[in-house]
Amino acid sequence: MGQPKHSQLPAPSRPDQTLAVVIPSYRVTAHVLDVIARIGPEVAMIFVVDDACPDASGAFVETHCADPRVRVIRHEQNRGVGGAMITGYRAALEAGADIVVKIDGDGQMDPALIPRIARPVLARQADYAKGNRFHSLWNVRRMPRVRLYGNAGLSFMTKLSSGYWGIFDPTNGYTAIHAAALEHIEFANVSERYFFETDMLINLGNARAVVADVPMEAVYGDEVSNLHIRKELWPFLRTHLRETSKRIFYTYFLRDFSPASLQLLFGTLFLLFGTIYGSVEWVHSISSGQVASTGTVMVAVLPIILGVQFLLNFLSFDMANEPRVPIQPPLSLVDTPRADALPPEPR
């Protein structure tokens, strides 16, 4: 696989916190120029990553876009949205960006929302901010049902696998991340395909980064999705199960051992024992025609009750264990930016 090729453009000047935008580009030539044109002056750098696009979107942008902030990066082979973003993240870090925003080039994401998406990170309240299209009931009603049900299911699975119980809409690609958080991510462990956004959350959870949800609305137009739901469903489920097991083992048995670890261990054992013992006795009762004794029933039921209670206690502890302190440098260790330096939220 060849190395990405960067176009040669001068680097922009560096303000208190440099804001960069990465646009993964694949079959978006009908929208990408409009997206770039609507990116506000608060953004210092724009990286368009041509992911071996059959429409030659990189050359299209270079030919038709005169914005001096734009730099085009080309992949010789298609690596997926995750691979394009990883290339863009690395380029933004090398250029000195403090905060990097991901926005798609298909027109679904309003560039006017960039200040709102980046604001929790700019204010050092979070290391990573992402859009949430489920915050508004009106927006939920407008969402196609397939996306609505799919995102709801993926949101629950992502809560389990990442440990971020307070977030929703995990596949939302409108994100902003601080350079300090990017430096904690091992890109080799991040999926380069459609699992990218969720995998970022999982890796950020391992790094104990703070993640914030930002309410937003989605735009549904004539864009064409490259995601094949039936083809990707099983890999999504398998990956979530694997990552959930890894997170729980790493967090509660390898990195730390707490009362929650005991609750999980004994809760699982009690629940398994009660379920297996009760099932065996139930089958025996049916086959023999004899009613199980009260003692037999209690031996099966009590472990199940205790197991469920222990697991509920563990779940409560896990939800409260969500990261709260950002890993980016606090204001006391850096030059404090003026309050009016933060870009205003769109009205």
Side-chain angles (χ1 to χ4, degrees):
M1 183 178 299
Q3 296 297 322
K5 299 177 181 179
H6 296 252
S7 60
Q8 300 299 321
L9 288 175
S13 59
R14 178 185 176 91
D16 288 335
Q17 294 191 89
T18 304
L19 192 62
V21 166
V22 175
I23 304 176
S25 180
Y26 188 83
R27 296 187 183 277
V28 293
T29 52
H31 303 276
V32 66
L33 291 181
D34 179 64
V35 171
I36 295 172
R38 291 189 290 141
I39 295 177
E42 69 275 1
V43 175
M45 295 174 279
I46 302 172
F47 297 90
V48 177
V49 183
D50 181 345
D51 191 26
C53 176
D55 300 332
S57 56
F60 179 80
V61 170
E62 286 181 324
T63 302
H64 296 90
C65 181
D67 192 327
R69 300 174 297 173
V70 175
R71 309 179 186 189
V72 174
I73 306 173
R74 292 184 176 85
H75 283 168
E76 295 182 359
Q77 297 182 15
N78 180 267
R79 292 169 51 186
V81 62
M85 282 307 303
I86 290 172
T87 295
Y89 281 149
R90 284 174 171 157
L93 288 176
E94 292 174 1
D98 296 296
I99 298 168
V100 186
V101 176
K102 173 187 177 290
I103 182 171
D104 290 340
D106 58 9
Q108 284 194 50
M109 303 172 182
D110 185 0
L113 295 179
I114 289 176
R116 179 183 296 177
I117 298 294
R119 192 171 185 83
V121 185
L122 284 165
R124 301 186 185 277
Q125 297 171 348
D127 302 299
Y128 185 80
K130 52 173 287 298
N132 181 0
R133 296 164 293 184
F134 288 80
H135 186 268
S136 168
L137 181 60
W138 168 251
N139 196 47
V140 170
R141 289 174 177 174
R142 294 173 54 241
M143 184 176 294
R145 289 190 177 183
V146 173
R147 297 192 185 192
L148 176 62
Y149 298 144
N151 274 281
L154 287 173
S155 292
F156 178 74
M157 288 189 291
T158 303
K159 291 174 186 288
L160 288 170
S161 57
S162 69
Y164 289 113
W165 289 94
I167 66 169
F168 213 77
D169 198 10
T171 59
N172 194 310
Y174 211 152
T175 65
I177 187 169
H178 195 274
L182 278 175
E183 291 172 354
H184 281 76
I185 300 295
E186 296 183 9
F187 290 129
N189 295 330
V190 178
S191 171
E192 293 190 345
R193 295 293 171 180
Y194 296 110
F195 200 71
F196 168 72
E197 285 86 3
T198 303
D199 222 0
M200 283 291 293
L201 289 171
I202 293 171
N203 281 269
L204 288 166
N206 292 335
R208 301 294 295 173
V210 176
V211 175
D213 258 355
V214 180
M216 62 167 288
E217 292 187 4
V219 178
Y220 301 107
D222 58 353
E223 70 282 344
V224 178
S225 174
N226 295 305
L227 176 60
H228 302 283
I229 296 177
R230 292 183 179 179
K231 180 180 179 181
E232 300 294 337
L233 180 60
W234 171 241
F236 267 61
L237 291 173
R238 182 181 59 208
T239 303
H240 274 293
L241 289 173
R242 183 183 70 243
E243 294 300 331
T244 299
S245 302
K246 288 169 58 178
R247 180 182 73 85
I248 290 176
F249 175 75
Y250 178 71
T251 303
Y252 294 101
F253 295 99
L254 186 61
R255 184 167 63 182
D256 191 16
F257 195 85
S258 65
S261 308
L262 295 176
Q263 290 173 343
L264 175 61
L265 179 61
F266 285 107
T268 302
L269 292 176
F270 281 145
L271 184 60
L272 286 175
F273 172 80
T275 301
I276 294 174
Y277 179 81
S279 299
V280 171
E281 290 298 327
W282 179 69
V283 172
H284 175 71
S285 176
I286 291 178
S287 61
S288 64
Q290 298 179 352
V291 178
S293 66
T294 302
T296 300
V297 173
M298 293 303 295
V299 170
V301 171
L302 280 178
I304 292 177
I305 294 175
L306 287 173
V308 170
Q309 186 61 51
F310 280 150
L311 291 178
L312 288 176
N313 290 341
F314 166 77
L315 185 62
S316 178
F317 183 92
D318 190 49
M319 295 174 68
N321 195 35
E322 188 172 330
R324 305 294 179 187
V325 180
I327 60 178
Q328 62 169 296
L331 287 175
S332 59
L333 298 181
V334 296
D335 295 332
T336 304
R338 303 187 314 273
D340 59 356
L342 297 178
E345 293 189 15
R347 296 183 180 274

